Amino acid sequence: MPKKIDPQLRARCVRLVREHLQEYPTLTAAVTAVARQEGVSRESVRRWLAQAEVDDGTLSRPLHSVRTFCESSVSI
């Protein structure tokens, strides 16, 4: 059974990535930094961000390209 994540933590991670994206060379770098800071996995933050973009109607690329971009940019 999946672990329940506090909705406030999820919203905070999404907000932090969006607010600090310009400080990093790639989306993956921003996602990785926020994930480390908040103590969650990079994949969780990536998925939360993608879902937030769908929910907000701001997704400008297909979801599979977000995954491909994140996987190809940084390997941990």
Side-chain angles (χ1 to χ4, degrees):
M1 187 161 140
K3 183 167 87 172
K4 293 287 182 182
I5 299 293
D6 180 14
Q8 292 177 343
L9 173 62
R10 186 178 304 179
R12 177 184 165 121
C13 289
V14 169
R15 179 181 53 80
L16 287 171
V17 170
R18 288 177 172 173
E19 287 178 357
H20 297 281
L21 183 59
Q22 71 281 357
E23 298 170 16
Y24 294 92
T26 64
L27 173 62
T28 302
V31 166
T32 301
V34 169
R36 280 190 192 136
Q37 176 183 336
E38 297 300 318
V40 296
S41 75
R42 177 179 61 126
E43 181 65 9
S44 293
V45 175
R46 183 195 66 79
R47 287 177 185 248
W48 297 339
L49 181 63
Q51 186 61 53
E53 289 177 340
V54 170
D55 294 345
D56 297 345
T58 60
L59 184 66
S60 60
R61 60 200 174 281
L63 286 180
H64 72 275
S65 69
V66 174
R67 180 174 181 210
T68 303
F69 176 76
C70 287
E71 289 173 352
S72 66
S73 298
V74 173
S75 60
I76 294 178

